[in-house]
Amino acid sequence: MSIAGKVVAITGASSGIGRATAILLAEAGATVVLGARREDLLADAARDIAAAGGKVTYKVTDVCVRSDLEALVARAVEYAGRLDVIVNNAGISPLSRFDALRVEDWDAMIDVNLRGTLYGIAAALPVFQRQRSGHVINVVSTAGIKIVPTMGVYAATKNAVRTISEALRQEAGAHLRVTEVSPGMIATNLTDSFTDPVARDAIAARVAAVAIPAAAIARGIAYAIDQPDDVDVGSIVIRPTAQD
Ligand SMILES: NC(=O)c1ccc[n+]([C@@H]2O[C@H](COP(=O)([O-])OP(=O)(O)OC[C@H]3O[C@@H](n4cnc5c(N)ncnc54)[C@H](OP(=O)(O)O)[C@@H]3O)[C@@H](O)[C@H]2O)c1
């Protein structure tokens, strides 16, 4: 089985990379199971996908709540009988300098980007073990590759997920594929999660100048899913050619 026929749960599917990935995978014949907090946007995305002939369902999901991820995975199994892929994509990036002491933002990034990914893994693994097949795809960031000021905590959460991805891959054996995808600057609503006006102004302008569409990341995720079962794409970095 390549993409067609696979059942893919995607967190953060109400916007940006998650939404673009859901649309592309549904076009390629996957059944997509959308999770995020904003129900109106999930319903919009599901309506668009269904109108184009795609198979889709959604469940309101806060990745900070472990039982929400369990419910998202349960929705996939109820709706489609199995789960083949979980894309842990939900993320926030309220960037700031350390001396701004925006400690609540640090906590929020740890909760959403790191703990949320772990909860996604915890929800999907029992299903993958039962099926003796599965694929975990974690969306990380080039912020963890080239570390720059204001991105310290964000990059730390993403690099923690990178570490988890490699450890999971080693533990997983022959039946579980694990992929990390590192986007560079992508045109999405991520800068809406910036709370520090200084960082927002500086970074939003840079992102706007070079960003590429979310579909570029969706194509990378689709590439990893599309490989034969014995081919595990470990790491994909996709950034604008113009990104420094
Ligand atoms: N855009 C970039 O330049 C870039 C670069 C590198 C990495 N990334 C990563 O790509 C991923 C997607 O971001 P994006 O760029 O597509 O931004 P986006 O348009 O802001 O989308 C973020 C998604 O995450 C969801 N989300 C946030 N908090 C959540 C929570 N507690 N529970 C469930 N869902 C939550 C949002 O949905 P709700 O608000 O409806 O819950 C939204 O669907 C993130 O992990 C981000 O770190 C983005």
Side-chain angles (χ1 to χ4, degrees):
M1 210 183 343
S2 56
I3 296 175
K6 283 199 168 152
V7 182
V8 184
I10 304 167
T11 67
S14 61
S15 167
I17 292 168
R19 191 178 194 281
T21 300
I23 290 168
L24 184 70
L25 295 178
E27 280 170 3
T31 296
V32 291
V33 184
L34 317 181
R37 292 164 306 172
R38 287 171 292 174
E39 185 163 16
D40 53 336
L41 296 184
L42 286 178
D44 276 357
R47 212 172 12 250
D48 289 353
I49 290 168
K55 292 192 210 67
V56 59
T57 186
Y58 70 85
K59 178 108 187 119
V60 172
T61 306
D62 183 341
V63 298
C64 300
V65 179
R66 184 179 168 192
S67 57
D68 279 15
L69 268 309
E70 291 168 342
L72 181 69
V73 169
R75 167 60 62 86
V77 174
E78 275 159 33
Y79 182 76
R82 54 188 291 116
L83 178 72
D84 296 297
V85 185
I86 186 163
V87 183
N88 291 305
N89 164 73
I92 56 170
S93 66
L95 307 177
S96 59
R97 288 172 51 91
F98 285 99
D99 55 13
L101 292 182
R102 300 182 80 92
V103 179
E104 291 80 8
D105 288 345
W106 305 349
D107 288 341
M109 283 187 277
I110 292 167
D111 286 344
V112 176
N113 301 353
L114 175 53
R115 215 185 298 277
T117 298
L118 283 168
Y119 288 167
I121 291 168
L125 265 189
V127 178
F128 291 163
Q129 281 169 334
R130 200 165 60 236
Q131 295 173 174
R132 295 181 66 73
S133 73
H135 193 168
V136 175
I137 300 182
N138 295 325
V139 176
V140 289
S141 176
T142 58
I145 297 171
K146 181 180 176 188
I147 316 284
V148 298
T150 75
M151 294 199 190
V153 178
Y154 176 68
T157 62
K158 295 298 189 178
N159 280 347
V161 172
R162 211 183 296 279
T163 301
I164 287 162
S165 304
E166 173 59 11
L168 179 63
R169 184 192 73 76
Q170 290 184 30
E171 284 184 16
H175 303 293
L176 182 71
R177 301 194 292 175
V178 184
T179 302
E180 63 177 45
V181 180
S182 297
M185 291 178 181
I186 311 299
T188 68
N189 296 320
L190 194 67
T191 45
D192 293 353
S193 70
F194 285 29
T195 56
D196 181 75
V198 180
R200 181 168 51 223
D201 292 350
I203 291 163
R206 261 176 45 218
V207 171
V210 302
I212 53 176
I217 307 305
R219 290 194 296 273
I221 291 173
Y223 170 80
I225 295 173
D226 204 27
Q227 299 307 305
D229 283 351
D230 59 351
V231 176
D232 184 8
V233 177
S235 182
I236 304 179
V237 181
I238 301 168
R239 54 167 85 82
T241 311
Q243 183 172 327
D244 57 16

